[in-house]
Amino acid sequence: MADVAVVGLGPAGRALASRCAAHGLSVIAVDPRPTATWTPTYGLWADELGDLPSSVVRARAENPELRALGVHPLERAYLVLDNAALQTALPLDGVEVRAGRLDDAQVGALRAEAAVVVDARGARPAGLRPDDPAPMQTAYGVVVPAEAAEPALQGAESLLMDWRTDWSAQERPTATPTFLYAIPVGAGRMLLEETCLAAAPGLPVAELRTRLRRRLLARGVDPAVVEDPLDREVVRIPMRGRDAPPPPGVLAVGTAGRGGHRITGYSVAHSLRRADELARALVQGDVPDDADPMDAAERLREVGLNALLRLSTQGTLELFEGFGRLPASRRRELLARGSGAGELARTMWGMFTHMPWAAKRELVRASLGTTRPRG
């Protein structure tokens, strides 16, 4: 019997397999393409990098901004990861690596070969009912030369979220709100991405492409680089991870469980940190019932997700204006997957107090789920 079997070698699975092997556990790892380099653009905050070497950083934004009704420097360095270098920094030395795509039954069957079986296959939402689709974050982006992106940035070094509504042809848009994510990705290039933070169902990529083009052209970006960029990116992130529980007796990590942040969609920083914690617990024979349990903090994030799914465009602008006005330490509490319920409640209350009364009323209704989701 092996000590651990990990199914899925994305960031969560590879990090766990690597840390378990480093701590002396015998590990089996299964993935459809175990040697492939990850293709998504992964980002995290510089203070979340932990013990990883600087070689895993592909690009750095020293002071990204949030823009809603005003301009808010976030006062925190943001990193884009080099996926190949990150995989090298998470070696699989001593791990028995197998190529294969396993279904739930096959994952469960690995309990005959390993004392602990871990599902790290990523989120696979089924939706609860046909009229209640799974909430999704979707995005469409183009990679362009940095100098070509300057008009889109409008004086900012980078933009974590630009909620202004020049994606719309209407003066007062009522459709599902989206934001511009504009960050350096290395080698003198910028990623300009139109992002729907959460909608049910997710906003179609074709709509995001149209909005991005409209926004960039309105800001004076050369149409030639918009139509023929250096590269393109499409993002689809299920905001609740996997709807169904893992197979019986199997532990789920990363977005296969509840490792993703239900408000932001980010998961990599938490997965990297959680991997070593979980590996150390497994060495001690302490196998948790749930890698990321549904605790009070996670319930508060679910309230936040409910609000995002239902707020109008103006309500969303007011919400993130309130977020931008918070002190940097409070903003970190909302963005961190590991924050406790008290920290989250304090930050959410701070955002609420900065909002006008009409937006407060809308936020309360949206948070309680008394209005239908957008999408």
Side-chain angles (χ1 to χ4, degrees), residues 23-35:
H23 286 294
L25 297 175
S26 56
V27 182
I28 298 168
V30 187
D31 187 87
R33 301 172 63 214
T35 61

PDB file of all heavy atoms in Angstrom, residues 23-35:
ATOM      1  N   HIS A  23       8.137  14.873   2.444  1.00  0.00           N
ATOM      2  CA  HIS A  23       8.044  14.500   3.854  1.00  0.00           C
ATOM      3  C   HIS A  23       8.189  12.996   4.072  1.00  0.00           C
ATOM      4  O   HIS A  23       7.968  12.507   5.187  1.00  0.00           O
ATOM      5  CB  HIS A  23       6.720  14.991   4.437  1.00  0.00           C
ATOM      6  CG  HIS A  23       6.678  16.469   4.680  1.00  0.00           C
ATOM      7  ND1 HIS A  23       7.471  17.104   5.615  1.00  0.00           N
ATOM      8  CD2 HIS A  23       5.948  17.448   4.088  1.00  0.00           C
ATOM      9  CE1 HIS A  23       7.225  18.401   5.607  1.00  0.00           C
ATOM     10  NE2 HIS A  23       6.310  18.634   4.690  1.00  0.00           N
ATOM     11  N   GLY A  24       8.546  12.248   3.021  1.00  0.00           N
ATOM     12  CA  GLY A  24       8.862  10.839   3.174  1.00  0.00           C
ATOM     13  C   GLY A  24       7.715   9.883   2.956  1.00  0.00           C
ATOM     14  O   GLY A  24       7.874   8.672   3.193  1.00  0.00           O
ATOM     15  N   LEU A  25       6.574  10.373   2.498  1.00  0.00           N
ATOM     16  CA  LEU A  25       5.449   9.480   2.225  1.00  0.00           C
ATOM     17  C   LEU A  25       5.605   8.855   0.846  1.00  0.00           C
ATOM     18  O   LEU A  25       6.164   9.464  -0.077  1.00  0.00           O
ATOM     19  CB  LEU A  25       4.134  10.252   2.299  1.00  0.00           C
ATOM     20  CG  LEU A  25       3.781  10.866   3.660  1.00  0.00           C
ATOM     21  CD1 LEU A  25       2.517  11.701   3.547  1.00  0.00           C
ATOM     22  CD2 LEU A  25       3.609   9.785   4.723  1.00  0.00           C
ATOM     23  N   SER A  26       5.108   7.644   0.680  1.00  0.00           N
ATOM     24  CA  SER A  26       5.079   7.019  -0.646  1.00  0.00           C
ATOM     25  C   SER A  26       3.818   7.504  -1.368  1.00  0.00           C
ATOM     26  O   SER A  26       2.723   7.493  -0.799  1.00  0.00           O
ATOM     27  CB  SER A  26       5.095   5.499  -0.532  1.00  0.00           C
ATOM     28  OG  SER A  26       4.020   5.041   0.262  1.00  0.00           O
ATOM     29  N   VAL A  27       3.988   7.927  -2.621  1.00  0.00           N
ATOM     30  CA  VAL A  27       2.915   8.635  -3.319  1.00  0.00           C
ATOM     31  C   VAL A  27       2.705   8.052  -4.717  1.00  0.00           C
ATOM     32  O   VAL A  27       3.671   7.816  -5.452  1.00  0.00           O
ATOM     33  CB  VAL A  27       3.241  10.138  -3.438  1.00  0.00           C
ATOM     34  CG1 VAL A  27       2.092  10.883  -4.134  1.00  0.00           C
ATOM     35  CG2 VAL A  27       3.519  10.749  -2.070  1.00  0.00           C
ATOM     36  N   ILE A  28       1.446   7.845  -5.067  1.00  0.00           N
ATOM     37  CA  ILE A  28       1.028   7.569  -6.443  1.00  0.00           C
ATOM     38  C   ILE A  28       0.336   8.829  -6.957  1.00  0.00           C
ATOM     39  O   ILE A  28      -0.469   9.440  -6.240  1.00  0.00           O
ATOM     40  CB  ILE A  28       0.034   6.382  -6.505  1.00  0.00           C
ATOM     41  CG1 ILE A  28       0.677   5.098  -5.992  1.00  0.00           C
ATOM     42  CG2 ILE A  28      -0.504   6.190  -7.921  1.00  0.00           C
ATOM     43  CD1 ILE A  28      -0.327   3.976  -5.750  1.00  0.00           C
ATOM     44  N   ALA A  29       0.647   9.245  -8.183  1.00  0.00           N
ATOM     45  CA  ALA A  29      -0.017  10.400  -8.783  1.00  0.00           C
ATOM     46  C   ALA A  29      -0.533  10.012 -10.160  1.00  0.00           C
ATOM     47  O   ALA A  29       0.194   9.392 -10.948  1.00  0.00           O
ATOM     48  CB  ALA A  29       0.936  11.585  -8.894  1.00  0.00           C
ATOM     49  N   VAL A  30      -1.775  10.369 -10.459  1.00  0.00           N
ATOM     50  CA  VAL A  30      -2.414  10.014 -11.726  1.00  0.00           C
ATOM     51  C   VAL A  30      -2.945  11.278 -12.381  1.00  0.00           C
ATOM     52  O   VAL A  30      -3.626  12.093 -11.732  1.00  0.00           O
ATOM     53  CB  VAL A  30      -3.567   9.014 -11.516  1.00  0.00           C
ATOM     54  CG1 VAL A  30      -4.096   8.530 -12.865  1.00  0.00           C
ATOM     55  CG2 VAL A  30      -3.135   7.843 -10.645  1.00  0.00           C
ATOM     56  N   ASP A  31      -2.666  11.428 -13.675  1.00  0.00           N
ATOM     57  CA  ASP A  31      -3.131  12.606 -14.417  1.00  0.00           C
ATOM     58  C   ASP A  31      -3.208  12.249 -15.898  1.00  0.00           C
ATOM     59  O   ASP A  31      -2.386  11.450 -16.382  1.00  0.00           O
ATOM     60  CB  ASP A  31      -2.169  13.781 -14.212  1.00  0.00           C
ATOM     61  CG  ASP A  31      -2.680  15.072 -14.823  1.00  0.00           C
ATOM     62  OD1 ASP A  31      -3.423  15.792 -14.132  1.00  0.00           O
ATOM     63  OD2 ASP A  31      -2.333  15.370 -15.989  1.00  0.00           O
ATOM     64  N   PRO A  32      -4.158  12.812 -16.652  1.00  0.00           N
ATOM     65  CA  PRO A  32      -4.215  12.490 -18.084  1.00  0.00           C
ATOM     66  C   PRO A  32      -2.960  12.877 -18.837  1.00  0.00           C
ATOM     67  O   PRO A  32      -2.553  12.189 -19.781  1.00  0.00           O
ATOM     68  CB  PRO A  32      -5.432  13.294 -18.569  1.00  0.00           C
ATOM     69  CG  PRO A  32      -6.254  13.534 -17.349  1.00  0.00           C
ATOM     70  CD  PRO A  32      -5.282  13.648 -16.218  1.00  0.00           C
ATOM     71  N   ARG A  33      -2.327  13.995 -18.466  1.00  0.00           N
ATOM     72  CA  ARG A  33      -1.115  14.478 -19.143  1.00  0.00           C
ATOM     73  C   ARG A  33      -0.119  14.927 -18.069  1.00  0.00           C
ATOM     74  O   ARG A  33       0.077  16.116 -17.839  1.00  0.00           O
ATOM     75  CB  ARG A  33      -1.456  15.623 -20.086  1.00  0.00           C
ATOM     76  CG  ARG A  33      -2.470  15.239 -21.177  1.00  0.00           C
ATOM     77  CD  ARG A  33      -2.921  16.461 -21.958  1.00  0.00           C
ATOM     78  NE  ARG A  33      -1.796  17.072 -22.669  1.00  0.00           N
ATOM     79  CZ  ARG A  33      -1.664  18.387 -22.866  1.00  0.00           C
ATOM     80  NH1 ARG A  33      -2.560  19.224 -22.377  1.00  0.00           N
ATOM     81  NH2 ARG A  33      -0.633  18.852 -23.539  1.00  0.00           N
ATOM     82  N   PRO A  34       0.516  13.996 -17.405  1.00  0.00           N
ATOM     83  CA  PRO A  34       1.319  14.347 -16.230  1.00  0.00           C
ATOM     84  C   PRO A  34       2.538  15.206 -16.531  1.00  0.00           C
ATOM     85  O   PRO A  34       3.053  15.868 -15.622  1.00  0.00           O
ATOM     86  CB  PRO A  34       1.731  12.981 -15.660  1.00  0.00           C
ATOM     87  CG  PRO A  34       1.582  12.019 -16.790  1.00  0.00           C
ATOM     88  CD  PRO A  34       0.465  12.535 -17.620  1.00  0.00           C
ATOM     89  N   THR A  35       3.020  15.218 -17.778  1.00  0.00           N
ATOM     90  CA  THR A  35       4.215  16.014 -18.095  1.00  0.00           C
ATOM     91  C   THR A  35       3.872  17.326 -18.774  1.00  0.00           C
ATOM     92  O   THR A  35       4.778  18.101 -19.109  1.00  0.00           O
ATOM     93  CB  THR A  35       5.170  15.216 -19.001  1.00  0.00           C
ATOM     94  OG1 THR A  35       4.503  14.902 -20.239  1.00  0.00           O
ATOM     95  CG2 THR A  35       5.616  13.925 -18.323  1.00  0.00           C
TER      96      THR A  35
END
